[in-house]
Amino acid sequence: MPTASRPDAARIGIIANPVSARDIRRVVANASNLQVADRVNMVLRVLTTVASLDVPRVLMMPDRGGIRAMLLRSLNRERNLHHAFPEVEFLDMEPTSTVDDTFLAARMMRAAGVKAIVVLGGDGTHRAVVRACADIPVAGLSTGTNNTFPEMRESTITAMAVALYATGRLTPERALAPNKMLEISINEGERRDIALVDAVISTDRCIGARALWKTETLSAVYLTFAEPQAIGLSAIGGLLQPVGRREAGGLAVHLSHDPATRRLLLRAPIAPGMVREVGIAHWEPMPAGEPFPVALQAGVVALDGEREIAFNAGDRVRITLRENAFPTVDVARCMQAAAREGLFRLSSSTL
Amino acid sequence: MAGKNPFPLSRDELLKCYRTMGTIREFEERLHIDFGRGDIPGFVHLYAGEEASAAGIMSHLGDGDRIASTHRGHGHCISKGVNVVAMMKEIYGRTGGACNGKGGSMHIADVSKGMMGANGILGAGAPLACGAALAAKFRKKGEVAISFVGDGASNQGTFLESLNLAAVWNLPVLFVVENNGYAESTSRDYGTAVDSYVDRAAGFGLPGVTVDGTDFFAVYEAAGEMIKRAREGGGPALLECKMVRFYGHFEGDAQTYRGAGELDKIRADQDCMKKFRAQVTAAGVITADELKAIDREVLGVIENAVKEAKAAPLPTLADLTTDVYVTY
């Protein structure tokens, strides 16, 4: 196997959210609940994989949700068994058990010079990492509810692709892919936020338990990409007019609960196990860079499945699609390149 | 639309919830002072900082719904409608207390309000809530039971056995884990193998939800869905409220286990009452003056409760042999 160009510089970060997939959709929709023990197992698999591919050091976000405590116990056991691990260092930060932990960890990892950040979470966790740090490549592992943004993939394979990139065996041009995002601006930038998959406007005006599952409150759905096989609110767009993750432009869907103004009724899987009828008024492509004004007077903007920002009459809400907004490690492309170029072959045979 | 109520509760209900949280806060702040002065016999564990959990959950309950509380039970009692004067007399050990002054802080009960009792034995409330839920199931009136435990007590066998029993019998019970980060003085990292209380539920096939327990509306909405589900026969569930406590495990606890500046920080950033005030005033539903009026009203209620408690007579020797199972 070719050796890394500068293996000593090859370090990666891991941000594992202990409380993704813990919201009310466990009760209203029987959504799955990945246990902390399984999240720790995923981290352990990432660690052993990157260790065997010459990544010497991994920075991790500390948490008070059980991942750090269980991981440290597991690492002690594994060391007794003489299994190889990279050096694991927890960031020197005090966890608050809020999304601020993810923001801070992502910024600290960038400052520490990580090559990529492996994220364990759902759409919301990935959004938080990108919001804090849009220039470090992200490699996502699905541990959330909808998991539209992170691909469902065995963590070993994601870790292999990350190690190929982090050790310089694959260049950014070959390993990374650009992604779209939505920029949400309230009153010309008084407040800004982003979404990686969907920004949904709801007549609901309380953040409350955050999750969004009541279709009668939906007013509009703005999407970076919309796949027909997706679960969650992006499925509405995916079943109307699919837009690929790598295609130009996004999609805006305007809903109506009034039979007089709606053009059709669509059945869509808006949450796990919940196929619901949604009244569609019209839909339109979202070209990059063009601000879309939100028509609803007062409501809530939900970002990647969670109610985030309440707005009132007089607030001007604009949503703009941005292309080439942040890079992700393109696992499939990395592994294809690795196979093509024999990156995992240990002999010089080209047979 | 400014001023239109965006919340899932009416204005009057919001004011009532604020009054409940304010009453708990003032009750506890006053006990902190009075206990420090040596006015109160026994032991007290204060609920200050955790009000949104009790108020958010109990807003969905009636007198027919029963709760089993913990050693930190004042907030549960007040939210469940137990008379504040009777509570204060109980804590002061006076006749006319909720249990005639014989139980003190950790044994306040009022069955007429569905409050089955605070409980000094950790994890002991969970099987009691299962019993109440079993009764509710047979009565078929749509009543539910709530078991409160802390993050420490959720490691007790009684709690885990109760999850199993509730699942097997499909009982209308909600297990609430009030996770304030410390089992007495032990941080969770040192005492809990799997530090997710939702995972406990998953192990028994029950749905579990984690909410920000310092956000009244997050607790209110999640608890509402779970209680509705239980009333309709959907069975048990677990709600983890991540929260903070403003005082020590008990009054007199030096809290050397806390980080530097931790208490100031949680009071500044994670005060559930501050968050509630900010949300309802920003939405233009309730004015700051209306909330201040409630603060003043609550101050009077607690002042009066203390005055009445201090004026009430102590139990006599003869009272020792009443309210007991043995005949003397």
Side-chain angles (χ1 to χ4, degrees):
Chain A
M1 171 158 213
T3 53
S5 50
R6 285 195 306 136
D8 57 317
R11 65 171 73 164
I12 63 166
I14 300 179
I15 292 179
N17 181 355
V19 292
S20 56
R22 290 288 192 249
D23 70 35
I24 189 68
R25 285 169 289 185
R26 285 355 83 182
V27 168
V28 298
N30 302 307
S32 41
N33 162 20
L34 191 69
Q35 299 196 15
V36 164
D38 276 332
R39 296 174 204 230
V40 170
N41 286 334
M42 287 169 77
V43 172
L44 287 166
R45 298 202 296 275
V46 170
L47 292 174
T48 51
T49 302
V50 299
S52 54
L53 295 172
D54 311 316
V55 173
R57 197 154 167 252
V58 173
L59 289 181
M60 282 208 62
M61 176 180 81
D63 68 289
R64 285 206 188 125
I67 290 181
R68 171 173 58 178
M70 190 182 281
L71 183 67
L72 289 173
R73 276 197 295 274
S74 302
L75 285 173
N76 284 335
R77 290 175 195 143
E78 297 276 346
R79 284 193 188 103
N80 292 339
L81 303 172
H82 307 293
H83 292 161
F85 278 90
E87 183 192 336
V88 176
E89 183 187 331
F90 282 91
L91 294 168
D92 184 13
M93 56 178 266
E94 194 56 47
T96 61
S97 299
T98 67
V99 69
D100 291 342
D101 293 351
T102 302
F103 294 150
L104 179 59
R107 285 194 292 265
M108 289 175 79
M109 285 176 184
R110 180 213 274 135
V114 299
K115 300 284 184 190
I117 301 176
V118 176
V119 181
L120 278 75
D123 297 336
T125 314
H126 285 79
R127 170 182 149 265
V129 173
V130 172
R131 199 182 115 174
C133 177
D135 51 355
I136 305 292
V138 169
L141 293 170
S142 301
T143 65
T145 305
N146 288 335
N147 302 310
T148 305
F149 183 77
E151 295 166 314
M152 296 297 266
R153 200 184 290 279
E154 161 55 34
S155 51
T156 311
I157 308 304
T158 301
M160 287 172 81
V162 168
L164 288 178
Y165 169 68
T167 55
R169 293 177 176 99
L170 284 178
T171 59
E173 293 72 30
R174 287 185 299 164
L176 306 182
N179 295 272
K180 297 176 274 187
M181 69 160 70
L182 294 166
E183 259 181 29
I184 295 85
S185 159
I186 313 269
N187 299 334
E188 286 73 47
E190 202 175 272
R191 180 160 179 198
R192 283 181 191 282
D193 215 314
I194 63 161
L196 306 191
V197 181
D198 52 61
V200 175
I201 311 301
S202 153
T203 54
D204 215 333
R205 287 177 60 203
C206 182
I207 305 296
R210 306 193 83 87
L212 203 61
W213 74 94
K214 293 176 182 160
T215 49
E216 65 273 19
T217 70
L218 303 180
S219 167
V221 180
Y222 300 88
L223 300 162
T224 54
F225 64 98
E227 291 169 338
Q229 75 278 23
I231 183 83
L233 295 163
S234 76
I236 294 172
L239 295 169
L240 279 176
Q241 183 176 319
V243 181
R245 197 186 279 257
R246 310 279 177 235
E247 267 177 54
L251 189 71
V253 183
H254 304 277
L255 288 84
S256 170
H257 307 287
D258 177 2
T261 56
R262 77 178 174 225
R263 191 164 144 194
L264 60 94
L265 263 180
L266 177 79
R267 283 194 290 189
I270 54 108
M274 290 178 92
V275 177
R276 293 285 183 270
E277 290 180 0
V278 191
I280 308 291
H282 65 281
W283 63 95
E284 55 188 319
M286 282 186 88
E290 186 182 315
F292 276 57
V294 168
L296 190 70
Q297 288 288 298
V300 158
V301 189
L303 302 172
D304 293 323
E306 293 191 344
R307 282 170 272 166
E308 282 287 342
I309 309 170
F311 61 94
N312 290 312
D315 287 335
R316 290 171 303 282
V317 185
R318 302 271 183 281
I319 300 187
T320 311
L321 182 86
R322 303 282 178 207
E323 290 174 349
N324 295 315
F326 65 99
T328 44
V329 176
D330 188 335
V331 176
R333 211 150 65 92
C334 287
M335 298 309 280
Q336 278 159 9
R340 204 167 48 240
E341 296 169 29
L343 296 181
F344 292 112
R345 296 184 188 200
L346 293 173
S347 75
S348 58
S349 165
T350 53
L351 284 176
Chain B
M1 280 172 79
K4 189 183 168 194
N5 183 358
F7 299 105
L9 299 95
S10 69
R11 233 181 74 85
D12 284 350
E13 287 169 334
L14 288 169
L15 289 169
K16 187 177 170 210
C17 289
Y18 183 73
R19 187 175 292 111
T20 301
M21 290 198 288
T23 306
I24 300 171
R25 176 68 55 88
E26 192 50 39
F27 193 92
E28 301 297 57
E29 296 286 5
R30 182 60 188 260
L31 284 183
H32 174 69
I33 294 167
D34 288 8
F35 188 87
R37 271 204 301 252
D39 290 353
I40 293 168
F43 232 46
V44 290
H45 303 83
L46 303 184
Y47 195 73
E50 307 187 2
E51 294 86 349
S53 167
I57 292 162
M58 253 66 92
S59 308
H60 297 285
L61 303 183
D63 289 349
D65 300 311
R66 293 178 179 176
I67 69 165
S69 175
T70 68
H71 58 291
R72 199 177 304 287
H74 305 163
H76 303 144
C77 291
I78 292 171
S79 304
K80 199 71 178 68
V82 181
N83 182 287
V84 172
V85 174
M87 285 178 63
M88 197 61 91
K89 284 182 180 171
E90 187 59 38
I91 291 168
Y92 266 81
R94 306 299 168 110
T95 58
C99 299
N100 252 330
K102 297 177 182 179
S105 162
M106 275 186 280
H107 304 94
I108 301 174
D110 184 345
V111 180
S112 72
K113 295 287 179 191
M115 168 62 195
M116 298 196 297
N119 205 317
I121 301 169
L122 296 186
L128 300 180
C130 286
L134 184 62
K137 193 174 169 178
F138 279 106
R139 284 195 190 116
K140 296 192 168 70
K141 287 196 275 184
E143 291 158 350
V144 297
I146 315 283
S147 154
F148 289 92
V149 292
D151 42 296
S154 74
N155 288 330
Q156 296 284 13
T158 46
F159 179 70
L160 299 167
E161 290 171 38
S162 298
L163 290 177
N164 183 60
L165 197 64
V168 169
W169 287 350
N170 198 41
L171 297 177
V173 55
L174 177 63
F175 297 95
V176 179
V177 179
E178 295 189 317
N179 179 355
N180 62 27
Y182 296 100
E184 296 196 1
S185 58
T186 307
S187 168
R188 289 192 306 276
D189 284 1
Y190 295 93
T192 303
V194 178
D195 198 4
S196 164
Y197 301 95
V198 167
D199 286 4
R200 305 269 201 290
F204 295 95
L206 308 184
V209 170
T210 299
V211 292
D212 176 357
T214 68
D215 180 346
F216 170 85
F217 295 102
V219 176
Y220 177 85
E221 189 176 9
E225 291 290 342
M226 298 170 107
I227 289 167
K228 178 169 163 273
R229 179 178 178 273
R231 288 196 199 288
E232 291 171 358
L238 183 147
L239 176 64
E240 178 191 11
C241 297
K242 282 184 175 291
M243 60 211 315
V244 291
R245 70 165 139 81
F246 286 174
Y247 289 109
H249 166 63
F250 58 93
E251 277 309 276
D253 177 359
Q255 302 183 72
T256 50
Y257 46 86
R258 294 225 196 231
E262 182 181 322
L263 277 172
D264 291 339
K265 198 164 162 40
I266 61 175
R267 278 204 184 246
D269 302 338
Q270 297 193 66
D271 181 343
C272 60
M273 293 196 62
K274 268 191 202 168
K275 289 186 184 182
F276 185 95
R277 278 194 289 265
Q279 289 181 84
V280 296
T281 54
V285 177
I286 296 173
T287 66
D289 284 345
E290 286 177 293
L291 296 178
K292 277 182 195 149
I294 291 179
D295 293 343
R296 281 193 298 275
E297 176 197 324
V298 160
L299 211 61
V301 167
I302 301 302
E303 180 59 40
N304 174 63
V306 171
K307 210 187 272 175
E308 285 204 37
K310 285 182 171 170
L314 288 163
T316 63
L317 263 183
D319 290 324
L320 268 180
T321 53
T322 60
D323 304 328
V324 290
Y325 289 112
V326 183
T327 309
Y328 291 95

